[in-house]
Amino acid sequence: MEMIPKAEPQKIPFQVFENSIPNEGKWEWIDGELLFSDEEMRKAILMLVSQIGLKKLIDILPHESRDELERLLRDKS
């Protein structure tokens, strides 16, 4: 089971939480990088964004990041 972020916040089922945070919740960091695989990072990000919702994510992004996201979405179309 995996979270799919929506516009509005969602509750995180315990199984998703348990499967989304590697190393039993012990985050490791060395030289400015989290020691997560790409897959572990993807699961954690999807879970966290699902918790706050896409609307809130857009609200909390710095203006420069929103501009960049808009550009990326335009280029993708």
Side-chain angles (χ1 to χ4, degrees), residues 31-74:
D31 292 330
E33 292 193 25
L34 290 172
L35 298 181
F36 288 0
S37 70
D38 287 348
E39 180 62 16
E40 290 168 332
M41 186 71 72
R42 186 184 68 77
K43 285 181 183 180
I45 289 169
L46 289 176
M47 181 192 64
L48 293 169
V49 172
S50 294
Q51 170 74 44
I52 64 169
L54 293 170
K55 285 182 182 178
K56 180 77 169 193
L57 173 65
I58 291 168
D59 287 345
I60 64 174
L61 284 175
H63 186 69
E64 295 83 5
S65 298
R66 280 186 270 160
D67 290 345
E68 185 73 11
L69 182 58
E70 285 177 6
R71 185 187 64 74
L72 289 168
L73 289 169
R74 252 192 329 272

